[in-house]
Amino acid sequence: MKKIFKNFLSLGLASVMSQLVSFLCVSYYAKILGVEVFGEITLAQQIVLYFTTFTLFGIQTYATRYLVKNKNKVNETVGKIVLFRLLVATLSFAIICFITLFMKRGSDFNKMLIIFGCTIFPIAVNIDWLFNAFEAMKHNSIFLIFKNVLPAVVIYVVIGLYKNYMVIPVATFIGGVLGFLYQVAIAKYKFNVKFKFKITFDEVKKLCIIGSPFLFSSMLSMVNNNADKIILGLCGNDHGLGIYQSAYVFISFIISIIGLLFTAVFPSMSLYYYNKDKEKLNVLCNEVAKIIAVISVPMFVGGALLSREIILLFYKNEYYDAYKPFIILMLYVSILFVRELYAYGLNAWGKEKKYMRIVLVSSIANLILNIILTPRYGYLCAAMITLVTEFINLFAMKAEASKVTHISMYKGLLKAVVPSIIMGCVILIFKYFSINVVVTILAAVAVYAVFIVLFKVITIQDIKKVLE
C-alpha cells in the first residue's frame, strides 16, 4: 500500500493542479463566450472525443499490463504501439474531415472541428502507459502540465483579449506536442528506451485483435458519457448543451481526479492477480474501497446542498439553471467512483470481455433512451439517463469482480452516512447565514474529517498505515 500511496502522490499533486487549471480555464471561457458559443465548442469537442478514443484503441491498458510482466521487451513494444496508433489517427482524421462536408453549422464550426481533429495526433503518440508500467507516475504528472497548463494559460490570455475561440483547439494541439516531446526525452535518457519504429501487417492485425475488446468497451463507455451531449448538439440545442456542459465540467474534473487513484493502483492489481497472491489483492482492494467510501458519500451531500452556490461561483447568472443537472450528476459521479474499483479490477485481471458485455448493455440502454427522450425533454432527462445506466454498470461489475475477490464496499458507505449528515447540517447553517461558499466548503471538510475519526470510519491506525 505504501508504494501505491507514493504513486498516487506522484500523480496527485501535479495532476490535480493541471486538471484544476484546465477546469478553471473552461469555466472562464464559458463565462466570457456565453452559453450558445460554449455549446458549439462542446459539440466539436465531443465529436472529436469519439475519434480520440478510437485512436487510443484501448491499447494503453494492454500495454501497461504486458510491460508489467515483460519489461525486457520495452523497445519493440513502444515502437509498434506508437506506429499502430498513428495509422489509426490518420484514418480518424480523414473521417473527421469527411464529416465536415455534411455539417450544416457554417465554416467557422467546420474549421474548429478540423483543428480539434488535429489534436488526435499528439494523443496517438502519448506514451503515458509506459510510465504507468514502470510505476514512474511523476513523469505523467509533468506531462499533464505541458498538456493542460500551458494551453490553459494561452487560452486564458487570448480569450480575454480577443474572444477568439479558435485558440482553444490550436493551444490544445501545441500542448499535446510539447507533452510528447517531454515523454520522449525522459523515456530515452532516463529509462534508456530505444525507439524502434517498425511494425508488420501481421502485427497490426494482432494489435487490432488485442485492442478490439478494450476499444469496444471504451467506445461503449463513451456512449454512456457523451451520447447525450452529441444528441443535444445535433438537435440544435446549443443553449441546452452549454448549460448541461457547464455542470458536466465539474463532473469531468472530479472523474479525472478519481482516475488518478485507480491509475496508481492498476499495476499492483494486475501484478497480485497474475502472481496469484489473493491475500495481497484482497487487502489492496479493500483499502481502496475504504478510501472510496470516505470520499463518495460526503461528495454527493456537499455537492447537492451547495449546487447553486458552486455554479454561480464559476459562471455568470445565465448559467444558473446548471445547478439542476449538477445535483443529478453529483450522484452519478459518486456511484461511478464506487463502480470504478470493479471496472479497473476486471481490466487488470484480464476480464475485459466481461467488462465489455456489461458496458454494452448499459450503453445500448443509454443510447436508446437518449435518442427517444433527450430531444424532447432536454438536459435534465439526459442527466437522469446517465445516472440510471450507471447503476446497471455498478451492480453487474460488482457481481463479476466478486468472483475474483471479496470487496467490502457497502459497509464503508453506510459508516460514512452519519458524518456526512452532520457535515450537511453545518452546510445548511452556513447557508442560512449567507457565509461565503469557499469558507463553507472548507468548514464542511474540516467537520467531516473530525467526525469520520470520531465515528471510526477511519482510525488513527489507518492514517498511520498509509503515511508509513
Side-chain angles (χ1 to χ4, degrees):
M1 195 65 188
K2 179 180 178 182
K3 192 171 186 180
I4 301 297
F5 185 63
K6 182 179 179 182
N7 285 339
F8 179 67
L9 286 183
S10 296
L11 268 173
L13 185 59
S15 297
V16 168
M17 290 304 297
S18 65
Q19 295 292 344
L20 178 60
V21 170
S22 296
F23 161 71
L24 293 174
C25 177
V26 172
S27 63
Y28 173 75
Y29 71 67
K31 182 167 57 177
I32 297 297
L33 298 173
V35 175
E36 301 284 342
V37 175
F38 185 52
E40 280 199 61
I41 295 169
T42 297
L43 178 59
Q45 290 173 324
Q46 299 308 310
I47 291 173
V48 171
L49 198 52
Y50 278 93
F51 292 98
T52 298
T53 303
F54 180 57
T55 297
L56 292 173
F57 217 86
I59 295 296
Q60 65 274 18
T61 305
Y62 158 77
T64 300
R65 199 170 67 196
Y66 180 78
L67 290 181
V68 165
K69 298 183 289 182
N70 304 278
K71 292 188 177 178
N72 60 321
K73 296 183 178 181
V74 170
N75 295 336
E76 58 188 79
T77 303
V78 172
K80 288 175 185 177
I81 289 177
V82 168
L83 275 179
F84 174 78
R85 279 183 170 178
L86 282 173
L87 290 173
V88 180
T90 302
L91 174 62
S92 297
F93 184 71
I95 296 173
I96 290 171
C97 293
F98 182 72
I99 287 174
T100 60
L101 299 176
F102 301 94
M103 296 294 289
K104 298 178 180 180
R105 284 180 157 266
S107 60
D108 284 346
F109 180 84
N110 288 340
K111 289 177 185 176
M112 179 171 60
L113 184 59
I114 289 172
I115 301 172
F116 266 123
C118 293
T119 63
I120 64 176
F121 289 103
I123 290 171
V125 296
N126 176 14
I127 53 173
D128 58 349
W129 46 270
L130 172 66
F131 301 114
N132 288 340
F134 286 154
E135 297 190 64
M137 310 301 186
K138 66 178 181 180
H139 298 299
N140 286 339
S141 299
I142 298 172
F143 162 76
L144 288 175
I145 293 175
F146 284 104
K147 179 177 174 289
N148 295 334
V149 176
L150 295 181
V153 172
V154 174
I155 292 169
Y156 184 90
V157 172
V158 175
I159 292 291
L161 292 175
Y162 306 107
K163 295 185 179 180
N164 186 344
Y165 57 84
M166 289 297 179
V167 71
I168 298 170
V170 171
T172 302
F173 173 78
I174 294 172
V177 171
L178 292 176
F180 170 67
L181 293 176
Y182 167 78
Q183 288 179 326
V184 170
I186 294 299
K188 185 174 181 179
Y189 297 110
K190 188 173 179 64
F191 294 99
N192 198 32
V193 175
K194 295 178 175 63
F195 294 90
K196 297 180 179 179
F197 296 106
K198 183 180 179 181
I199 190 169
T200 66
F201 181 71
D202 287 339
E203 287 169 336
V204 170
K205 289 196 297 182
K206 181 181 177 181
L207 287 175
C208 284
I209 294 169
I210 291 171
S212 292
F214 297 104
L215 171 64
F216 193 44
S217 60
S218 296
M219 293 297 282
L220 292 174
S221 295
M222 286 286 295
V223 171
N224 280 333
N225 295 325
N226 300 81
D228 47 6
K229 300 172 192 174
I230 297 289
I231 290 170
L232 280 169
L234 293 180
C235 288
N237 189 0
D238 288 341
H239 183 273
L241 179 55
I243 292 292
Y244 187 51
Q245 180 64 5
S246 64
Y248 218 107
V249 166
F250 294 91
I251 306 307
S252 298
F253 173 66
I254 294 171
I255 291 174
S256 68
I257 303 305
I258 290 172
L260 297 178
L261 171 62
F262 293 108
T263 300
V265 168
F266 185 88
S268 294
M269 292 179 77
S270 180
L271 184 63
Y272 294 156
Y273 176 79
Y274 286 104
N275 287 345
K276 298 182 179 179
D277 196 336
K278 292 185 178 180
E279 183 178 349
K280 285 186 178 179
L281 179 62
N282 185 260
V283 169
L284 171 62
C285 290
N286 280 284
E287 289 291 335
V288 175
K290 187 178 290 187
I291 294 171
I292 293 169
V294 166
I295 297 174
S296 59
V297 178
M299 181 170 66
F300 168 66
V301 173
L305 292 176
L306 291 170
S307 55
R308 292 176 175 84
E309 290 79 3
I310 290 172
I311 292 296
L312 293 179
L313 179 65
F314 292 96
Y315 299 103
K316 292 180 178 179
N317 287 334
E318 63 178 323
Y319 288 93
Y320 178 77
D321 283 344
Y323 85 88
K324 299 172 185 176
F326 180 81
I327 294 173
I328 300 170
L329 292 172
M330 282 301 297
L331 180 55
Y332 153 72
V333 79
S334 298
I335 299 301
L336 178 141
F337 196 5
V338 175
R339 187 266 290 175
E340 283 288 66
L341 177 57
Y342 308 121
Y344 271 81
L346 291 176
N347 282 296
W349 306 329
K351 301 183 182 300
E352 57 273 2
K353 290 184 179 179
K354 292 184 178 179
Y355 171 85
M356 180 181 66
R357 284 194 287 268
I358 294 168
V359 178
L360 174 62
V361 173
S362 65
S363 297
I364 291 173
N366 184 290
L367 184 59
I368 292 173
L369 290 171
N370 269 301
I371 290 173
I372 295 172
L373 301 176
T374 297
R376 182 173 181 179
Y377 297 106
Y379 55 82
L380 284 179
C381 179
M384 285 300 302
I385 292 169
T386 300
L387 175 61
V388 169
T389 52
E390 190 55 38
F391 275 107
I392 297 174
N393 288 329
L394 171 63
F395 294 128
M397 289 182 191
K398 181 184 184 301
E400 288 296 335
S402 297
K403 296 176 183 178
V404 176
T405 187
H406 176 69
I407 302 173
S408 180
M409 178 70 73
Y410 298 133
K411 183 178 178 181
L413 292 171
L414 289 173
K415 289 174 71 174
V417 169
V418 174
S420 297
I421 292 173
I422 295 171
M423 180 198 74
C425 292
V426 171
I427 290 174
L428 291 174
I429 292 169
F430 275 54
K431 285 182 66 174
Y432 180 80
F433 290 102
S434 301
I435 296 174
N436 179 272
V437 61
V438 176
V439 175
T440 301
I441 292 172
L442 293 175
V445 170
V447 169
Y448 180 73
V450 170
F451 278 94
I452 59 173
V453 174
L454 291 177
F455 283 87
K456 296 183 179 180
V457 179
I458 286 184
T459 65
I460 299 298
Q461 286 73 22
D462 290 331
I463 297 172
K464 287 181 178 178
K465 185 177 179 181
V466 172
L467 292 177
E468 290 170 359

